[in-house]
Amino acid sequence: MENDGYGNRGAGANLHTDDDVTITFLPLVDSERKLLHVHFLSAQELGNEEQQEKLLREWLDCCVTEGGVLVAMQKSSRRRNHPLVTQMVEKWLDRYRQIRPCTSLSDGEEDEDDEDE
């Protein structure tokens, strides 16, 4: 996925936005427009490229860009996190804030001055 800035994200495709949702286009094909490898397919699901594209369209929210690139649309919310998520993150960060800083770091080697004594 290419990210050239806030206004242009993903495969050079148009980015549809509104106040609550951002849609990012994630390419499903390589530079030669061949489908990217799909991991964890069963023997029945492995087939020709047409069957794999059908499977992708069944499980992902897909579309074709103006440039003819098959992409998956990833929707993300701009809204704030749920209060419980914010609370969990703060609690997690507090544990790290309470760790006392190390006064000296050592890479496990003795100082050269100590060896001379």
Side-chain angles (χ1 to χ4, degrees):
M1 183 179 118
E2 296 178 11
N3 188 352
D4 295 332
Y6 184 76
N8 181 15
R9 286 194 264 181
N14 292 331
L15 181 67
H16 304 291
T17 62
D18 62 24
D19 291 340
D20 296 328
V21 176
T22 298
I23 300 174
T24 304
F25 293 101
L26 305 170
L28 298 175
V29 293
D30 62 14
S31 60
E32 297 172 356
R33 301 216 174 152
K34 293 180 183 175
L35 281 178
L36 295 175
H37 180 73
V38 180
H39 296 275
F40 309 111
L41 292 178
S42 68
Q44 290 177 327
E45 294 167 332
L46 270 175
N48 60 26
E49 197 166 291
E50 185 178 303
Q51 290 173 323
Q52 289 182 15
E53 182 177 338
K54 181 181 175 189
L55 186 68
L56 287 172
R57 288 179 179 273
E58 181 180 332
W59 286 95
L60 302 173
D61 193 3
C62 296
C63 71
V64 178
T65 65
E66 292 174 4
V69 177
L70 178 65
V71 296
M73 295 188 294
Q74 180 183 28
K75 297 176 184 176
S76 58
S77 174
R78 290 186 186 182
R79 294 183 182 180
R80 290 186 174 171
N81 287 335
H82 188 279
L84 289 176
V85 172
T86 304
Q87 180 184 1
M88 288 188 299
V89 170
E90 279 302 313
K91 188 175 181 179
W92 177 74
L93 288 172
D94 280 343
R95 297 187 124 211
Y96 287 95
R97 291 178 186 133
Q98 292 172 6
I99 296 175
R100 286 184 274 164
C102 234
T103 54
S104 66
L105 296 176
S106 172
D107 60 2
E109 295 181 11
E110 297 289 327
D111 290 336
E112 289 181 20
D113 297 338
D114 294 342
E115 292 176 8
D116 294 336
E117 293 177 8

